[in-house]
Amino acid sequence: MKVALTGIKPTGIPHIGNYLGAIKPALELAQTCEARYFIADYHALNSCKDPAAIRAMTLEIAAAWLASGLDPNKALFYKQSLVPQTFELLTMLLAFTPKGLMNRAHAYKAILQANSESGRDPDDGVNMGLFTYPVLMAADILLFDTDLVPVGNDQFQHVEMAVDIAQSFNFTYGQECFRLPQPIATQHSKTLLGLDGRKMSKSYGNTIPMFAPEKELRKLVMRIVTNSQGVDEPKDPATCTIFSLYRNFASPEQVENLRRRYLAGGMGWGHAKQELFEVMNAALAPLRERYAELMSAPEEISRILETGSAQASELAARKIKELRAVIGMD
Ligand code: TRP
């Protein structure tokens, strides 16, 4: 069985775009692969130095993935900071990473550009953790003989860098110390639309949080921007934000049915929104309940992460032992 692994940055509570576009597809891989998911907490340290925030975000994001269906009995679920072998591998890999490779990272280049555009020093706010981010990510991946890395398109370059670093290491010692990973896109072919009809994104402030309470969910759905067509006019499903969200939560029969009523006319926007709210609420209510349950027992979340991390650490220790022998440090 192939090994699939992905890192989860501890950020705020995911929105339904994150759920449908990243969490759900990554979790589906557990059906066909040996799956590994981890909270990438050391990656968050580069930008967040507030211990309470790190703790809170770690718990929230862990609860969000568990509530979304991550089964810690089937997949390995751990916290990066509890697998210290990651950081020994990072040190090894740094010696195989040309500085020029890091200079070419899109994420780093974007920061340099933003700095120069606003007249700051190019390296303003760039710490070495941020600069070497792709190497830590390579360590996360290579430590577990990963075949597949489900990520958003913005992370492809980082996985490709992990391949470059692994190849350089393998070539140096003339043996296949590392399996070469392959990025696979989790994103939907169609991006999820937000309340204002643009792509759903935190930076647009047009998101629907995954665990919004029922009343808030209804309020948000009612705020979706529509055109000024009257009730009687036939509506075009292809250009409608309500419809595009509906198809992600309804059954194929329900989608067909709504499509017919759109085209026939006589269907007002308020009515369509009500139906969208109902299918969304039916799909999200069990997740919302499970999330609340988990968050009311944070020690249980920590226990799950500790158990998974102990297992991950055991696997990782074996790998590190092999690698130390290869480099002459046994
Ligand atoms: N960089 C990824 C992100 O920003 C998170 C991540 C860290 C990751 N380590 C990883 C993803 C290893 C896949 C594999 O989303």
Side-chain angles (χ1 to χ4, degrees):
M1 245 208 274
K2 289 203 166 171
V3 173
L5 170 143
T6 199
I8 305 157
K9 272 220 291 202
T11 52
I13 293 174
H15 56 71
I16 58 169
N18 302 137
Y19 172 64
L20 294 170
I23 301 177
K24 218 169 150 224
L27 288 177
E28 274 159 12
L29 281 169
Q31 287 158 19
T32 49
C33 297
E34 208 174 292
R36 283 149 203 190
Y37 308 96
F38 69 96
I39 312 289
D41 49 355
Y42 261 109
H43 287 279
L45 185 65
N46 295 330
S47 55
C48 178
K49 268 81 174 176
D50 175 354
I54 295 262
R55 261 183 223 115
M57 290 188 306
T58 299
L59 280 179
E60 282 169 8
I61 202 77
W65 279 68
L66 291 166
S68 301
L70 196 167
D71 180 350
N73 297 314
K74 290 210 187 110
L76 203 52
F77 186 40
Y78 59 95
K79 199 158 86 148
Q80 182 190 38
S81 58
L82 293 179
V83 182
Q85 291 82 4
T86 309
F87 313 106
E88 183 166 353
L89 182 55
L90 165 67
T91 303
M92 292 183 196
L93 299 182
L94 283 169
F96 292 83
T97 308
K99 176 173 176 286
L101 185 69
M102 296 298 98
N103 289 341
R104 288 195 292 277
H106 301 317
Y108 168 66
K109 277 169 52 183
I111 297 169
L112 295 194
Q113 193 178 342
N115 277 340
S116 83
E117 275 166 11
S118 45
R120 290 186 296 256
D121 183 87
D123 278 326
D124 193 62
V126 178
N127 58 51
M128 287 304 289
L130 198 144
F131 183 63
T132 59
Y133 185 107
V135 198
L136 179 55
M137 193 164 150
D140 295 331
I141 295 168
L142 301 176
L143 188 57
F144 291 98
D145 296 316
T146 305
D147 297 292
L148 302 173
V149 186
V151 280
N153 296 326
D154 63 322
Q155 298 296 317
F156 267 53
Q157 191 199 25
H158 290 152
V159 182
E160 283 152 13
M161 288 177 162
V163 172
D164 285 352
I165 297 168
Q167 277 175 323
S168 161
F169 195 105
N170 289 350
F171 178 79
T172 301
Y173 298 107
Q175 48 184 302
E176 215 206 307
C177 304
F178 295 118
R179 216 179 273 179
L180 302 182
Q182 193 189 328
I184 52 169
T186 52
Q187 258 134 15
H188 271 219
S189 46
K190 266 190 140 176
T191 39
L192 198 76
L193 301 182
L195 300 177
D196 57 0
R198 288 187 291 174
K199 173 185 153 105
M200 187 175 290
S201 157
K202 242 181 226 156
S203 49
Y204 292 149
N206 63 358
T207 64
I208 300 178
M210 254 187 94
F211 307 116
E214 190 167 323
K215 254 173 90 180
E216 188 193 333
L217 180 62
R218 171 178 273 123
K219 233 170 64 195
L220 288 171
V221 169
M222 294 305 154
R223 259 181 40 201
I224 294 173
V225 177
T226 52
N227 62 25
S228 55
Q229 282 182 304
V231 173
D232 293 336
E233 289 177 73
K235 314 252 175 338
D236 180 10
T239 57
C240 174
T241 307
I242 303 170
F243 194 86
S244 84
L245 286 169
Y246 187 85
R247 44 186 322 151
N248 283 285
F249 293 96
S251 68
E253 297 78 42
Q254 285 173 312
V255 174
E256 247 338 279
N257 186 294
L258 186 65
R259 180 199 306 282
R260 256 185 272 116
R261 286 182 294 147
Y262 260 59
L263 296 173
M267 173 100 192
W269 291 131
H271 194 164
K273 286 178 179 177
Q274 177 61 28
E275 297 206 12
L276 170 61
F277 163 73
E278 278 163 21
V279 291
M280 277 183 78
N281 194 47
L284 295 173
L287 278 64
R288 185 196 298 145
E289 279 156 31
R290 174 104 181 97
Y291 179 79
E293 220 171 86
L294 284 157
M295 288 305 283
S296 70
E299 31 346 301
E300 170 66 8
I301 305 174
S302 302
R303 198 194 53 75
I304 292 172
L305 285 172
E306 278 160 23
T307 306
S309 301
Q311 288 167 4
S313 194
E314 222 171 276
L315 284 176
R318 261 182 262 154
K319 185 78 189 175
I320 289 292
K321 192 159 185 269
E322 278 171 35
L323 293 169
R324 281 192 192 152
V326 170
I327 63 178
M329 297 200 184
D330 43 348

